[in-house]
Amino acid sequence: MKQKELLAQIDQQRISDAISEAEKSCSGEIRVHIESSLRGKNLREFAERTFERLGLTKTAQRNGVLLFIAAQEQQFVILGDEGINNSVTPDFWDQIAVHLTEKFKAALYTEGIVEAIQSAGTHLCAIFPPHASDVDELPNEISFGTGEHEK
Ligand code: CA
Ligand code: CA
């Protein structure tokens, strides 16, 4: 599916609202990134580069989560920063990605993304409760990529 077509199908406002809502109950940061195509590159490596590029390794408590979507390939990966990863089983993020794959197959794009945000958020908030001085460290809007590494 082309990125353009996917964009026409999803409700961006609902997605960033879901991020804002999830971040209200915790200090962690959630970002959604939609890449047009992997162009033959490895999904996880591409996501890891994007993770860094979007500043997810720069949060104070290292508690950022990235939901990476490759539109063309309809592949997904969820990455958590080091503050979170020692508290999740290795397949925790993969389970969310599997669920998202099913939603995409059923053409429930926005719903799938919102549910993935909620699942990640529930876990994030359990280990990183909100604190008084919490700030929104990273934007809640979807980020978009053109299929090229920007470096
Ligand atoms: Ca925050
Ligand atoms: Ca945020």
Side-chain angles (χ1 to χ4, degrees):
M1 173 184 235
K2 289 205 164 25
Q3 189 184 42
K4 209 169 58 188
E5 290 164 19
L6 179 59
L7 286 186
Q9 299 283 335
I10 59 173
D11 183 341
Q12 295 191 40
Q13 188 60 47
R14 225 183 111 197
I15 291 167
S16 54
D17 286 350
I19 296 176
S20 306
E21 194 56 39
E23 290 185 358
K24 265 189 209 157
S25 332
C26 58
S27 60
E29 294 292 323
I30 300 170
R31 291 218 69 177
V32 172
H33 178 86
I34 302 178
E35 193 64 48
S36 64
S37 158
L38 297 173
R39 303 206 181 190
K41 296 185 187 84
N42 177 278
L43 173 71
R44 192 162 285 271
E45 272 172 30
F46 208 134
E48 281 167 359
R49 302 266 305 249
T50 306
F51 191 86
E52 243 188 281
R53 194 165 59 74
L54 294 178
L56 280 139
T57 54
K58 301 242 166 66
T59 62
Q61 293 183 278
R62 301 300 303 263
N63 54 4
V65 175
L66 172 67
L67 167 55
F68 181 95
I69 297 168
Q72 186 85 55
E73 294 82 2
Q74 298 224 2
Q75 287 184 30
F76 317 95
V77 66
I78 293 129
L79 298 176
D81 204 0
E82 49 189 40
I84 305 158
N85 282 343
N86 46 21
S87 72
V88 294
T89 56
D91 68 352
F92 178 78
W93 302 126
D94 293 341
Q95 293 293 335
I96 298 178
V98 166
H99 185 71
L100 189 52
T101 305
E102 286 164 9
K103 290 288 177 178
F104 264 63
K105 279 188 187 142
L108 297 167
Y109 308 107
T110 304
E111 195 183 312
I113 295 169
V114 166
E115 283 179 10
I117 292 165
Q118 289 166 344
S119 305
T122 302
H123 182 75
L124 199 57
C125 298
I127 46 176
F128 291 101
H131 49 82
S133 59
D134 185 51
V135 288
D136 189 18
E137 291 174 284
L138 298 170
N140 299 345
E141 287 73 38
I142 303 175
S143 127
F144 298 100
T146 56
E148 297 285 359
H149 281 311
E150 292 168 43
K151 257 253 141 116

